[in-house]
Amino acid sequence: LHNRRNMRRQSRELCLQILFQIEFAPQIEYAEFLEVFEQSYDQDVIDYADLIINGVKNNKEKLDAIIQGSSQHW
């Protein structure tokens, strides 16, 4: 159980790093960023990060609307 939690935490951290990068360099496919990290992480971490990133990309408009609704006074 501890290893699975650690793997998911690493995946989420990796996901945030990659989402940040693709926000500022949209011309680069996120798969290229994943490849950069393949040497540093287990394949399970990469695979789960990939799953999360795809979910974010597929739901970007919905997520942006939620964020905008929650941050109107920022």
Side-chain angles (χ1 to χ4, degrees), residues 12-46:
R12 289 188 300 268
E13 289 174 358
L14 178 58
C15 176
L16 285 173
Q17 290 175 27
I18 292 173
L19 288 170
F20 181 83
Q21 293 296 327
I22 61 177
E23 185 71 22
F24 291 98
Q27 72 278 11
I28 301 173
E29 286 292 321
Y30 82 91
E32 293 180 48
F33 290 117
L34 276 176
E35 288 175 12
V36 169
F37 291 102
E38 281 182 348
Q39 303 301 319
S40 302
Y41 292 95
D42 291 339
Q43 190 60 46
D44 289 341
V45 171
I46 298 292

Side-chain angles (χ1 to χ4, degrees), residues 1 5-6 15 17 26 34 38 43 52 59 61 65-66:
L1 180 66
R5 282 192 301 223
N6 188 43
C15 176
Q17 290 175 27
L34 276 176
E38 281 182 348
Q43 190 60 46
I52 296 169
N59 294 287
E61 290 178 15
I66 292 169

